[in-house]
Amino acid sequence: AQTVTQSQPEMSVQEAETVTLSCTYDTSENNYYLFWYKQPPSRQMILVIRQEAYKQQNATENRFSVNFQKAAKSFSLKISDSQLGDTAMYFCAFMKHRGSQGNLIFGKGTKLSVKP
Amino acid sequence: DSGVTQTPKHLITATGQRVTLRCSPRSGDLSVYWYQQSLDQGLQFLIQYYNGEERAKGNILERFSAQQFPDLHSELNLSSLELGDSALYFCASSRREGEQFFGPGTRLTVL
């Protein structure tokens, strides 16, 4: 069975600085997808970034980038130039490459606070 | 706005009761997923439907059931409710592999 571990329950960062959230996972699959979702106080689940395991290149979306280390089964999220609106719970998630649209397996989340 | 809608936003009910949560996927999405988010269990996958048929089951209790209708909307039925069923229930949809877009969730409170 696949598992996703986020070892940092809470983190804080000063506005405009950079922060990295950690995620490790365990799987015997070779092809899969990894995601970071953001859940602000509104409770909406918002997709931040997505990585396909067969792609070597790390995904980036504006201020958000990942460091994907397949051999180490590590998938960290870097937020640059942190903004107050980045304050939220961040969930790392895994999805098998199943061909029929598989379900997500989530970590426990990291609560990020951006301080002015 | 993800394009996935869920109703109602909030639901308060008593133990032993039955409720139905509704989800409308994004236009064109054939897959619907249900997730439960609770303080003790975190975010857990419950069940998936694809074009009207059950495709995968996760940690869904026998008291819970779901279905997807011909217009692709889905309903999650929760019966014999217990205090521990209080949670945020999310629906997500997708039309291709490697994506899922979440609705705003239904917050269920069982008193």
Side-chain angles (χ1 to χ4, degrees):
Chain A
Q2 287 74 30
T3 58
V4 177
T5 302
Q6 294 179 249
S7 58
Q8 306 150 315
E10 289 194 44
M11 293 190 73
S12 65
V13 64
Q14 291 296 128
E15 199 175 4
E17 299 205 337
T18 296
V19 64
T20 299
L21 309 184
S22 301
C23 173
T24 58
Y25 58 94
D26 189 26
T27 184
S28 57
E29 304 280 327
N30 190 44
N31 291 323
Y32 47 87
Y33 300 90
L34 294 164
F35 305 81
W36 281 97
Y37 280 89
K38 169 185 176 181
Q39 188 178 40
S42 66
R43 296 297 197 176
Q44 175 76 47
M45 292 290 287
I46 302 165
L47 177 64
V48 174
I49 201 163
R50 169 182 175 271
Q51 175 80 41
E52 298 177 61
Y54 69 89
K55 288 188 176 177
Q56 300 280 351
Q57 189 171 4
N58 289 324
T60 61
E61 286 288 341
N62 302 312
R63 298 182 296 107
F64 299 88
S65 62
V66 297
N67 183 5
F68 172 49
Q69 301 288 329
K70 191 173 183 180
K73 295 181 183 172
S74 169
F75 183 62
S76 60
L77 174 70
K78 184 170 86 171
I79 306 174
S80 304
D81 185 25
S82 297
Q83 300 175 0
L84 296 177
D86 295 333
T87 292
M89 282 291 289
Y90 286 82
F91 292 95
C92 179
F94 172 98
M95 179 194 291
K96 280 186 194 178
H97 185 286
R98 191 185 264 184
S100 62
Q101 304 165 31
N103 58 279
L104 290 161
I105 298 166
F106 288 93
K108 296 276 187 203
T110 295
K111 184 177 181 180
L112 177 67
S113 299
V114 180
K115 301 189 185 304
Chain B
D1 184 357
S2 66
V4 180
T5 61
Q6 289 187 248
T7 56
K9 270 188 151 177
H10 302 278
L11 201 45
I12 301 174
T13 188
T15 54
Q17 295 297 305
R18 173 188 167 95
V19 297
T20 297
L21 314 183
R22 183 188 168 106
C23 167
S24 291
R26 294 185 316 161
S27 177
D29 287 3
L30 298 180
S31 275
V32 169
Y33 308 77
W34 287 97
Y35 293 87
Q36 178 195 58
Q37 184 178 29
S38 62
L39 280 174
D40 50 346
Q41 299 289 337
L43 267 159
Q44 287 197 104
F45 167 67
L46 296 178
I47 196 162
Q48 177 199 357
Y49 278 82
Y50 178 82
N51 202 19
E53 293 191 5
E54 183 184 303
R55 183 58 64 95
K57 255 185 174 176
N59 298 321
I60 188 165
L61 299 171
E62 283 192 18
R63 300 183 285 109
F64 296 1
S65 65
Q67 57 184 134
Q68 186 178 27
F69 294 86
D71 67 352
L72 300 178
H73 91 271
S74 178
E75 292 180 357
L76 180 67
N77 300 296
L78 315 177
S79 61
S80 303
L81 285 167
E82 302 174 1
L83 296 177
D85 298 327
S86 293
L88 191 51
Y89 291 84
F90 284 108
C91 165
S93 74
S94 69
R95 71 176 67 115
R96 63 184 177 98
E97 186 175 290
E99 68 174 24
Q100 277 186 35
F101 295 93
F102 282 75
T106 292
R107 178 167 292 285
L108 173 67
T109 302
V110 182
L111 300 174

